[in-house]
Amino acid sequence: MLDKLFEKIDKNCSNVDKEMIKKAYNLAYEAHKIQKRESGEPYIIHPVEVAYILADMGMDTSTITAGLLHDVIEDTNYTYEDISREFSKEVANLVDGVTKLGKIEYKTKEEQQADNVRKMLLAMTKDIRVILIKLADRLHNMRTLKYMPVEKQKEKSKETFDIYAPLAHRLGMSKIKWELEDLAFRYINPNEYYFIVRKIAEKRGEREKYIAEIIAQLRENLDRASIAADIDGRPKHFYSIYRKMVNKNKTIDQIFDLTAVRILVDNVKDCYAVLGIVHTIYKPIPGRFKDYIAMPKPNMYQSLHSTVIGPQGKPFEIQIRTFEMHRTAEYGIAAHWKYKEGITSADDIDKKLTWLREILEWQTETSDAEEFMEGFKIDLFSDEVFVFTPKGKVINLPYDATPIDFAYKIHTDIGNRCVGAKVNGKMVPLDYNLKTGEIVEILAATTPKGPSIDWLNIVKSNQAKSKIRAWFKKAKREENINKGKDILEKETKKQGYNFGEISKGGTLENILKKYNMKSLEDLYAAVGVGALTPSTVVLKLKESYIKSKNCEMSNDKVIEEHLGKVEKHPKQKSNSHAVIVKGEKNLLVRFAKCCNPVPGDSIIGYITKGRGVSIHRSNCKNAQFLISKEGNKVVDVRWGTPKGAEYIAEIMLRCEDRARLLSECMEIISDSKIYLYAINTQPPKNSIIIINMKLKIIDIDDLKVVMKKLKKVKGVLDVDRTKN
């Protein structure tokens, strides 16, 4: 296996350190020696096959080394530090990057998949070679997918269609892309796949004879013109044929151009000379000529394409390109390691990955997972049109893009000021679908007019959609902040908390950091616009708040020692409320504000750090949470004999909205000789208002009496203790 790998390296790569490759092979062999693949073969075959694929691409020493080691950190006892020490930090980073990507699997939940894809995009920006190794890994896994269970075959194939084939396409790696698509197609639609395979095989002889005739004619004419060229016939890929059948609603017998003829020459001048000869021999079909040399695709693809009428009146496609263009068409971004004597400069690579920066830019503004994944797939795998600015600059846009897409591609400000457009000098509507070769001019207002909300249904590019949404978010920010604040405060109260209390200090900082926000206003605005659900935010705040209140003790012995220290602390007040903790009467206690227990309630105690025992009602949700998380800090408590102490109890009234209701309720409380400590009302909703009251009482009996009286007030629908 190692000799075969060296043969590939000698053929395709330059300046590769074979001693390092041999060392990596030996380590991988040792690390995986007891492991088997699903096929029953030794596991080492897989990393070596990945290295073969990388060597075919012409990759550098570090990449091939990392290919051999790509599963070592994830599947064996070797660590990042081991790889860094034995090889280099560069190799360790590549292996570590692929290890993280190895955990990306297709999920039924869009949110999980979107999160994994974001991680992959981030890894690509740090070192594009990470994804090249992952593509090689995926390709070999797809080649051996037949050994997996049927359900796993379909799952991996769908993931390949959704993520890896589109990524290969965007990186210009057509050889990898086509094979991934055909392999995935085989497992997702086996009936259609094998039908096309059979049909293609039936007429192979006839087709090969037809192509041989075309190649002979072309060879004769090119020799006469003294143009050196390689000419061959390339059968179309099965999935490509299937898509054409579906998109054009044709049977396979109605598709004539099942084979393309490719001509490779030494330079660009010869490309156009060959095109002239081809169009002299065969009649070109109007509208089927594309010049990707003058206007390369964003993935670096360059070639001349033309569909012509061949012998017997059958159309066929012809592709003309240089040898270097062909290498780039096959291996895309990876081709740069072949021709530049190693990795190209960071700036050069960065220029080739403009599309990646654009995806990262709009995805940071997209919190909806389904929207992100849909946009990701569209951005990666959509057909394109190439149009011109009035000054002749080429702008690439998604297929069916509109003048609005064009305006936002030029500049955000141009998009926001767009009021009209001209195409080839004539006015067109803003929902006009642009076509390749058209000259587009945007008519802009002198001051930002701002986009229309309807534009979101018109534009085709995610870049334009993202910028339109950003404008509306900014324009409505103040409104969204106020709306979000109100929603969060209501949701917090609904869960039995005060927003100001649970969002103090470190708690709020943790939440802002989690959602990548800079201020509380950003959080309000995100909730107001619907980007974040209030229940999720409050839940995170509660968890962080409760966690911040918990102590670090972990066993009964420490609890007992802590109780003793609290009892002897000179600055602590004694327990005046006669709550008995583990049989002791005078230990420091405090009553939890989340549930406000009073004498007569069933209670539990929880050891806090430096503040004695926190007393909760037994049915308090926070208490149940603490028991489930840190039950060893819960202690037995019971009510003793009260010593004239007063307690705060909180009740909630649900009432019909009517005049003098509040004053009548307050009169009852006053007549009952109970002190009203605090009161809060919520705005009416569907003619129902909520009144929260805090009362100072002696015990539960006082509270029951006043609650019974309040229930008799006209319009009061329900009275209950506040629950968190």
Side-chain angles (χ1 to χ4, degrees), residues 386-425:
F386 299 86
V387 295
F388 295 94
T389 68
K391 292 184 178 180
K393 182 181 177 182
V394 179
I395 302 294
N396 63 288
L397 294 165
Y399 183 74
D400 273 351
T402 66
I404 304 172
D405 292 287
F406 177 88
Y408 278 107
K409 184 75 178 237
I410 299 299
H411 196 279
T412 303
D413 183 59
I414 300 296
N416 288 338
R417 293 194 291 118
C418 176
V419 292
K422 289 183 178 181
V423 172
N424 295 336

Side-chain angles (χ1 to χ4, degrees), residues 246-296:
V246 171
N247 293 341
K248 297 189 177 182
N249 196 26
K250 290 185 177 181
T251 66
I252 194 167
D253 296 323
Q254 294 173 308
I255 299 174
F256 295 104
D257 55 336
L258 297 178
T259 304
V261 175
R262 182 183 293 142
I263 303 176
L264 304 181
V265 294
D266 292 323
N267 53 58
V268 173
K269 182 184 74 172
D270 286 349
C271 288
Y272 289 100
V274 169
L275 178 68
I277 291 169
V278 168
H279 284 180
T280 300
I281 303 171
Y282 307 112
K283 186 175 181 180
I285 296 176
R288 296 296 301 273
F289 167 68
K290 294 177 182 177
D291 187 346
Y292 293 120
I293 293 179
M295 292 186 292

Side-chain angles (χ1 to χ4, degrees), residues 327-338:
R327 174 75 188 180
T328 301
E330 295 271 289
Y331 292 114
I333 198 84
H336 287 256
W337 276 265
K338 171 78 173 178

Side-chain angles (χ1 to χ4, degrees), residues 1 205 255 364 368 392 484 689 721:
M1 288 190 294
I255 299 174
T364 56
D368 183 83
I689 63 170
R721 296 278 293 278

